[in-house]
Amino acid sequence: MIGLSSFTPLILLAWSIYEVLGEQHFLQTPADTRIVMGRSTMLNCSVGDRVGRVQWAKDDMLLGFDLSIPGYPRYSIIQTSPERFNLYIVNTTLWDDATYECQVLPSQGNPALQASAHLTILVPPEMPQIIGHPNGSMINIRHTDPIVQLTCEVRNARPAASITWYKNGVVVTENVDYTVEQIANDKRENAHNTLTLTPDFRVKEHGAVYTCKGTNEAIRGQFLETTVTVNVQFPPSIPEITGYRRGQTVQRGDTLNLECVSRGGNPLAQVVWFRNDVKIDFSYSSSNDRSTNDLSFTVGASDNDAVYRCEATNAATEYPLTAQVQTVVYFPPEKVTISGNRLATAGEEVELTCETANSNPASVVTWLVRGRQIAGTQNHVQESEDGGYITRSIIKVTLTDREDQIVYTCQAMNDGSSQPVTDTVTLSVLYPPGAPVITGYEEGDFVKDGDVKRLTCSSAGGNPMATLKWFKGNELLDSTPKTRGSIVSSELTIVTTPGDNNAIYKCTASNEATPTPLQILKKLTVYFPPAQVTLTADPAEPKAGQRLRLTCLSASSNPPAAIMWVRDNVLRQGVTINKSPSSNGGMTTTNVLDITPTAADHRAEYHCQATNLVIGDKVNDAITLSVLFAPVFDLSMSPTNIEITEGDSRSVNLTATANPPVLSYKFYRDGIEVNVEGDINSFTFDNGALQISNIERGDMGRYSLEARNAEGASSFNFTLNVLYAASITTITSPVEEEIGGAAFFECIADANPITENMITWSRSDFDMSKTKQAFENNKGHLTVYELEKTDTGTFTCTADNQIGEPSVMEAILIVKFQPIIDDSAQYSKAAGDHGSTVQLICLAEGAPEVNFDWAKRNGDMSSFKYHIESEKVNTIKYRSVVTISDIAESEYGTYVCSATNEKGQDTFDISVDGTSRPDQPGDLTFINATHDMLTISWNPGFNGGLPQRFKVRYKEKNRPGYTHIDITPIDNRVTTVFVIKGLRRDTSYLVAVLTSNDLGPAEGSPPEIEVRTSASALSGEAASTIQTSDDTPVIIILVVCVVGIFLLALNIGLILFFVRRRKKRLENNSDTTSHTNTIELYGPTKETALYPITPSDDSRSYGTYEKNMDDFSDDYKNFEDEDIKRVFLPPPGYSRSYTPNKMDSPNLGNTHKSFLTETRPYLDDERQAAQWQYEDPYRSRSKGTFDSDYMNPLQNGNSPTHFHDYNGRPETRPKSVTDFSDQRSSRSSSRNGLGTTPPPPPPVRSSSKGVANNYGHSPIPPLPARNYDVDDLPPPLYDDTPQPRYAPAPGSTGGRYVNPNVISNPTYEGPSEGGNMAQRNHIPVDDMRGDLV
């Protein structure tokens, strides 16, 4: 045990350091801060002798150690010196109002430190508002209001604003109430200050200016204010009227000017005039302290006793204040009127009355006759409703024969009259007029119906002149009399009607002197046509083929009408059987037409036309026949041959016309009655409408439709021809024949119609000149001559009769041949670590059917670990897969796949071993070049049992510095095509493809090709430089077009050439082809040991000229010179993921020995060195074979840095990963059958950094690429050079590969014959990256 005294010096040293440095402590703590919202602030925190990490907390929410404080874009930690950790907040908001704490975490015995401060955010107030009153407004207060309150509000401030009231600039301290309201869920506050005004408004408050001012800490010293003015309202004085005095008299027509004045009041009064309570004028004016309304009008009679009232009101009056006057108007009568009978016989007494119009005062009436006043008249006066008075006077006069035409005059005046008004009347003596006379028509003439006839009646003399009246019979007619001298006439206008025929027109003349009117008569004769015709049928329901009589009876006509018959615009002659008297003095005519109707007469119209031959007018009517007949089919509407394509739909009119309607339809097919709804699914029949839906070929045939009603039955025959597309019913397939023989195929199709050459044979990429085709009826034959192995495939039979889509069916031709196994390098090896699952794939072609057998050289496959599945891929391709579960060292070795059919057998050896580095890609090929892009392709080699990754490396020839592009896999394609973009025009480039997996890069130098970009851009790329102006010569345009087409065709040709060449190589099993599942590009991220990847924003990485891989590993730039980092595999029990960071490496434990000597290579204690075999990865491989170069065991002190081939020749070449695995290898040589050999010593590193030399003087070899603790690592290679930290590859899962023993995709079915160009990744040209196409 170690005593306590041994630790005493360390304790004293630690205490000395603590005394010197001291405990971590605050140099400056944050202080409470108040800041206006929107400004920036800083909370200071400084820590002395800091050991722990520093962070800030906001209201107990930790903000983290990152100086940028993620998630808080306005927050950051400002560190101007190592001890300062100031919190800086920009554009502060209320959200920032919180308690902040600076925290220093405890560390190395130092306690935690905490210091807090509160940040208060100040918010300026909003503009003050006097509730209900805008800024600068006036507040109206009635003088009777008890109290008035004004409330000033200042909102959304922090802290709450202080509010002060001012009256006329003087602070108001009395009758004010200040309150603060907290806003819900907010740190701001609203402030209110209410001012109460006293009742003495008129004296103190009128015109006062009140100002509300608000401020808070955020606007220090500044005040926000709003102002109102108090306006006290009070009523005006009672109005006064000037311009008319009470009792004053005015004359009608005078102009009266009335003025109403209202004084005082706030506001000034509104002054309105009323006349008899009706508002007549409100156009007042205001000035100074008075309101005035002037009313000017012309006095009329209606203004007598009228009341004119003036009203004054304002906002303070409870009721109008009034003043009024009543006007007195004098006016004479406007007229006098004499009434009474002015005509009388001699000796008769006549009473005359004279009445004045309204006047004031009352008028005096006098009568005059022959210029002298009549004495003894009396006046009667009464009041008028319009004001004033009406005077009336009556006289009585007896007429004599000598007093005819005597004039009587009435006149009236009053005090307001300047001259009298008068009226006169003339009295006359009565005598009769002369007899009347009618002119304008002479009896015996005739008038046409509808003509206008004018009759004039005249009478001469009489006193008064005669009154003329017209009568039709006893009916009084309207007329207009005219007077000319002593003759009176009256004209009667008649629009004649049939009723005027034989009518008596009478004219009478009369006056007061004729006790009986005088009269004269005239009789009219009017010609008129019949008003209508009436048609009847006998019998009422006629039948086809039976006699029918049509009768036409014309209405009354003068003279009698003539009758004609019309059907379909064709005249038919009937027989007139009667003419008889009728109304209006006319006669009726009866005419008959006898016919024998048919079905065509059903619903036919027969027109009867009756004509008055004298005046030419006619009338007609028609009768529509309803003829009873048996069903009839319309052949013009119903087709007898219906042609329709199968599956189509159509409506066919098969309606039979009948009267009465058809009672039933029956369908017959080939003479047999069928039920449409049940027997023919494609038919739907409804009342003669046949609906064909989705017709089928089985519905073809001859049909008959029977229609029946009460009158009988009839039938309609039609043929239904269904056209349908050709469909292949029979085809000969498969056809197996020997090489050199002939194959015969037959293809039979069903179709309607069968067209010429309806059946054809085809096959893509096949020389059809070796075949002969024949077609007869519905059969197509194909004969293939001189059969070869390559003729095996599918022939397509196409049947097309131009109806619908062609029918296509394939027939398989199998040319028998011996099985041939695909011996591509991809399938010649399989690999997997102990405990993993390994698949061996064997692909073969052959015909007929191929059977697989599997065997293990020097072993058996009876274990449950082996699972074999075989399947037929296509016509001649077969696939067999052996799956080895939980593989152990005993399962390593060589397996033999045998493919057998009746033509023979083929075998293939597959070597199974532990995982290794991949093989170099082969067949690197240049495909195409443009002025800035290069297209290359290659075949991946064997992936070593692990997913492999590719890089494209290129550089300009004769210029230093390579550019590397990581290839992102797209799908499982064998041949990879890649486009390098962003290149220089007309420049040579050296291009190579690098590959690696988790165990490292492929052995040897990758093949490199030299390619060159084109000197000029393609026509399509340079199209923008072509002239487009109107003066461009046509020849230049044509030349450019031809050159562009030529270049396009050349590119297509080149692409086809390379595609064919690649396809041919695949078919010939090129020894450079390694069918690798490209999905393995997404392997584990251990490749960072060789390809350090710098993450980028698009998850890709590529090299640059400024920074090569020298910064991350053993001079990656010299990768092509085989300067490769060598690694070892750990023992099976070790499963930790690799990281090159020494500090992160775990302890190896007991499963891995960290001590090595020259006599004890890198092996576990239990391992036997004599059980190891190795293959030579640098030996050239023949097609279908495996490497068989193995090293001899160590001999008698040979240097562990030298190797020997199986012939004992020393070699110093580096080996593949499988050469240095600490697991046993079960590979056997396919060349010499050598036995097992012990494992070789560790290899020499050939790094340009001199690692090999260092290792030569050190007994410790390089460690495998795995995680190790610091104690397990060898001394650093380059003094204190820090080891690089590698970032995981883009797309990897955090740099840890869960299962490193993944093998090739078990569902992989061999090489594809071309990639899908549509799936390429498009990267901008200026990115200097490539696309996987």
Side-chain angles (χ1 to χ4, degrees), residues 500-811:
D500 291 324
N501 187 39
N502 297 328
I504 303 299
Y505 283 86
K506 177 176 67 176
C507 177
T508 63
S510 63
N511 67 3
E512 287 86 342
T514 56
T516 302
L518 306 176
Q519 65 180 17
I520 185 172
L521 304 175
K522 289 286 184 177
K523 182 179 180 180
L524 264 61
T525 299
V526 178
Y527 283 1
F528 55 90
Q532 64 180 13
V533 291
T534 304
L535 288 84
T536 59
D538 184 24
E541 292 186 350
K543 294 186 178 182
Q546 297 182 1
R547 179 181 174 277
L548 171 66
R549 165 164 285 192
L550 300 178
T551 300
C552 180
L553 174 65
S554 74
S556 178
S557 174
N558 186 28
I563 293 178
M564 294 294 294
W565 294 88
V566 179
R567 182 181 186 274
D568 296 334
N569 296 322
V570 177
L571 293 176
R572 296 195 178 189
Q573 188 68 44
V575 178
T576 299
I577 60 174
N578 185 33
K579 293 182 180 180
S580 59
S582 186
S583 60
N584 299 324
M587 297 187 72
T588 62
T589 302
T590 303
N591 190 284
V592 297
L593 177 65
D594 294 327
I595 61 172
T596 301
T598 65
D601 291 316
H602 180 58
R603 300 190 184 280
E605 292 183 352
Y606 280 82
H607 294 260
C608 171
Q609 181 175 289
T611 306
N612 187 317
L613 299 179
V614 175
I615 61 178
D617 291 351
K618 64 185 67 175
V619 64
N620 67 76
D621 199 358
I623 183 172
T624 301
L625 300 185
S626 178
V627 180
L628 301 178
F629 61 95
V632 176
F633 289 95
D634 187 354
L635 298 181
S636 64
M637 297 292 293
S638 302
T640 58
N641 183 29
I642 301 174
E643 193 171 85
I644 184 173
T645 303
E646 183 179 29
D648 285 355
S649 301
R650 183 182 301 177
S651 296
V652 182
N653 185 6
L654 298 179
T655 304
T657 57
N659 190 27
V662 176
L663 294 178
S664 64
Y665 287 95
K666 290 184 179 180
F667 265 95
Y668 296 86
R669 181 176 182 179
D670 298 330
I672 301 174
E673 183 178 355
V674 294
N675 184 0
V676 173
E677 301 298 333
D679 297 338
I680 309 175
N681 295 329
S682 302
F683 284 8
T684 302
F685 189 78
D686 184 19
N687 293 329
L690 176 62
Q691 179 64 43
I692 304 175
S693 303
N694 297 321
I695 190 67
E696 300 176 357
R697 63 189 69 180
D699 297 330
M700 280 195 301
R702 297 183 61 83
Y703 292 85
S704 178
L705 176 64
E706 179 188 86
R708 181 178 296 276
N709 70 350
E711 298 298 316
S714 60
S715 298
F716 173 73
N717 300 322
F718 65 93
T719 301
L720 180 62
N721 183 24
V722 180
L723 307 180
Y724 52 87
S727 61
I728 300 174
T729 59
T730 305
I731 192 170
T732 306
S733 179
V735 174
E736 296 183 356
E737 295 293 343
E738 301 288 343
I739 295 176
F744 178 79
F745 296 89
E746 183 179 62
C747 183
I748 303 175
D750 181 23
N752 183 29
I754 296 176
T755 59
E756 183 179 1
N757 295 326
M758 182 179 71
I759 298 178
T760 58
W761 291 87
S762 64
R763 177 175 168 184
S764 60
D765 298 331
F766 187 79
D767 184 8
M768 295 299 289
S769 63
K770 295 174 53 177
T771 66
K772 180 180 179 181
Q773 299 188 41
F775 176 72
E776 181 180 0
N777 294 330
N778 62 336
K779 298 179 180 180
H781 299 105
L782 173 68
T783 305
V784 184
Y785 300 98
E786 299 177 359
L787 294 176
E788 302 175 3
K789 167 190 170 183
T790 56
D791 293 339
T792 298
T794 301
F795 289 88
T796 301
C797 173
T798 303
D800 186 8
N801 63 348
Q802 305 302 315
I803 302 294
E805 295 293 328
S807 177
V808 177
M809 190 173 289
E810 295 180 342

Side-chain angles (χ1 to χ4, degrees), residues 124-172:
E126 295 181 358
M127 185 64 67
Q129 294 181 353
I130 299 176
I131 297 176
H133 306 288
N135 183 29
S137 63
M138 181 174 289
I139 301 177
N140 295 318
I141 302 175
R142 295 170 62 91
H143 72 290
T144 57
D145 290 344
I147 61 172
V148 174
Q149 289 185 334
L150 301 179
T151 300
C152 181
E153 179 184 51
V154 181
R155 300 177 58 81
N156 299 326
R158 176 171 170 82
S162 62
I163 302 176
T164 305
W165 280 102
Y166 293 81
K167 177 182 179 182
N168 298 328
V170 179
V171 176
V172 178

